[in-house]
Amino acid sequence: MSGPLTGLRVIDYTGPLGQLAGKLLADMGADVVAIEPPAGSPARAVGPFVDDVPGPDRSLNYWYHNTNKRSVIVDLTAAEGVAAWKSLVAKADIVIEDCAPGELDTVGLGHASLRPAIDSLIWCSITPFGQTGPWASYQATDMVGLALGGPMMMNGYDAEDVPGAPPIRGHGDQGYNTACHYAVQGILAALLYRDKTGQGQHVDASMHEACSSTTEVGLPYWFTQRKNVIRQTGRHAAAQRTEPWLHMAADGRHALIFGVGRDNASWKRIKEWFQADGFGKQLDEPRFDEPAARQPGRGSPEAAEVMSELSRFIAAHSADEVYRGGQERRQSWGVVRAPSEALGDPHWEDRGFWTEVSGEGRDAPVRMPGAPYAFSATPWELRRPAPKLGEHTAEVLAEWLT
């Protein structure tokens, strides 16, 4: 093993909410043991499944979220399982669980019951709303987390595009995975503290709070001006309507334009590009010289005129021409791609981003995202695919407990 967390032992007792946290640690080299009841983690019941046939070892969602882990069956309702859990916890550096607050402690198996006796243990609890407060016992799905946390209200369409359109939930377990990323940050910080003091601690990770911290301008606008931002098609929510960022190109695809000539050097290059094709002749007028006058979202007539001319220019070119031409002029512009187009981009291949895993019902490897970041000294490594249910029970018990 070569990851930066090699040597750490982690117990992962999670379902759909918390499973990514263990994966991130496992992919960085930690020995992550997924503790599962005899019927398996609830995450194994989340589709899609290989050939649309459900089964504990056929969930593609599980395959992705559980690489590099080992699976051990422990029945916490049986005396033997309780003893095994306590023994494994005593050998662990980190425990990650996403049970309801107090659920494990009611049977003497939670952080309040076990962690105080193990000074160095770091225990991370990932829950919808945290361990305390009036919502602590409330239930939530990924969608509920995004709704109550704020991100959903900020995503959707302009009223002019889709009158009466509701908020939009982003897919991809964004609420769950945001909570897990924050949980891992907390765990790594706790590890730094333990390195200095020898003391572990309890990390209380709330999906609600994690999602709320990602609402960008939403919270500052409310705190400072008591304004709610409004949803906008394909661009940031804002306190007032801003000019569109999506523009239809000549080939029927959309180009996404983030800013136009925010500095005078790039503005000069953009003007020359437009004018070489017969667009934007008026942009040489002095009223366009100040960056603030031509920036979208400020309500100036110059900004509206710049965006109008930009839209005409894009309509006369392919989306790829606009994207690459904008990038050449140091602009954050891109093409709105379908998943198939994004997956076919050679940039992923050049970066070595993809990895391939296999499992029950699929001998040919399935392509999935690989390393989320690259380490120069401790490379990311796919040591094993997601485990089959109970695949490593005997192996782990022998390693950890003898």
Side-chain angles (χ1 to χ4, degrees):
M1 293 186 287
S2 60
L5 298 184
T6 296
L8 287 174
R9 285 180 166 179
V10 181
I11 288 177
D12 180 339
Y13 188 60
T14 64
L17 169 57
Q19 61 181 339
L20 180 69
K23 169 190 166 61
L24 292 173
L25 299 181
D27 288 353
M28 286 191 281
D31 181 10
V32 178
V33 173
I35 302 296
E36 305 189 64
S41 165
R44 292 182 180 272
V46 177
F49 300 96
V50 176
D51 297 328
D52 292 328
V53 178
D57 298 321
R58 300 176 70 90
S59 165
L60 295 170
N61 182 284
Y62 188 87
W63 287 13
Y64 170 70
H65 285 99
N66 292 274
T67 55
N68 288 326
K69 298 181 186 180
R70 295 192 286 177
S71 171
V72 172
I73 292 177
V74 174
D75 185 356
L76 296 184
T77 66
E80 183 179 355
V82 167
W85 170 263
K86 290 181 177 179
S87 297
L88 289 167
V89 168
K91 297 290 186 178
D93 295 287
I94 301 162
V95 174
I96 306 172
E97 48 90 5
D98 60 4
C99 300
E103 179 180 330
L104 287 174
D105 277 313
T106 58
V107 290
L109 301 179
H111 65 89
S113 304
L114 302 181
R115 206 204 65 75
I118 311 170
D119 288 344
S120 63
L121 180 63
I122 295 168
W123 191 297
C124 180
S125 301
I126 306 173
T127 56
F129 302 105
Q131 298 290 300
T132 59
W135 291 6
S137 63
Y138 284 14
Q139 302 295 301
T141 61
D142 177 84
M143 186 183 296
V144 170
L146 292 171
L148 285 173
M152 187 184 295
M153 189 64 184
M154 298 177 63
N155 291 277
Y157 298 96
D158 286 306
E160 295 84 356
D161 292 339
V162 185
I168 299 295
R169 171 231 182 170
H171 284 277
D173 296 325
Q174 291 183 22
Y176 289 165
N177 291 350
T178 299
C180 287
H181 278 280
Y182 277 69
V184 168
Q185 291 177 51
I187 289 168
L188 295 178
L191 282 169
L192 290 174
Y193 179 78
R194 190 180 75 170
D195 287 345
K196 293 180 179 180
T197 67
Q199 296 295 308
Q201 59 186 297
H202 182 221
V203 178
D204 176 359
S206 157
M207 173 171 63
H208 182 237
E209 290 159 12
C211 288
S212 293
S213 71
T214 68
T215 52
E216 198 195 35
V217 299
L219 290 181
Y221 261 113
W222 179 255
F223 286 144
T224 60
Q225 300 184 33
R226 286 296 186 264
K227 288 184 179 179
N228 277 320
V229 295
I230 53 178
R231 295 187 293 276
Q232 303 192 106
T233 306
R235 62 196 187 281
H236 294 315
Q240 62 186 28
R241 189 70 65 198
T242 61
E243 291 84 354
W245 294 0
L246 287 174
H247 300 268
M248 181 74 76
D251 55 3
R253 303 168 75 201
H254 282 95
L256 179 68
I257 308 302
F258 180 82
V260 183
R262 290 174 175 244
D263 60 273
N264 285 330
S266 64
W267 173 240
K268 182 176 183 294
R269 293 194 293 271
I270 289 170
K271 284 195 301 181
E272 292 172 349
W273 184 29
F274 287 8
Q275 291 167 353
D277 272 1
F279 297 90
K281 298 296 186 181
Q282 79 277 28
L283 299 180
D284 285 330
E285 296 174 12
R287 62 194 178 96
F288 294 101
D289 288 348
E290 286 297 322
R294 58 180 184 256
Q295 287 310 303
R298 297 178 181 268
S300 71
E302 288 78 18
E305 196 167 341
V306 168
M307 297 305 287
S308 176
E309 201 67 11
L310 171 74
S311 189
R312 292 202 316 119
F313 176 81
I314 292 173
H317 297 79
S318 72
D320 202 61
E321 288 174 329
V322 173
Y323 158 48
R324 298 191 182 280
Q327 289 289 335
E328 288 172 5
R329 292 159 180 84
R330 306 298 297 164
Q331 300 299 291
S332 300
W333 297 0
V335 181
V336 179
R337 290 174 165 174
S340 58
E341 294 175 287
L343 296 177
D345 192 317
H347 181 76
W348 304 107
E349 304 290 347
D350 294 341
R351 290 277 297 168
F353 176 64
W354 301 114
T355 190
E356 294 183 331
V357 299
S358 57
E360 181 180 311
R362 183 67 70 227
D363 294 329
V366 175
R367 175 168 284 198
M368 291 188 176
Y373 19 66
F375 294 93
S376 61
T378 53
W380 183 93
E381 180 184 10
L382 180 65
R383 304 189 305 280
R384 58 173 63 89
K388 295 178 181 178
L389 177 58
E391 179 179 357
H392 305 98
T393 301
E395 174 183 296
V396 170
L397 295 180
E399 284 182 20
W400 281 39
L401 304 184
T402 58

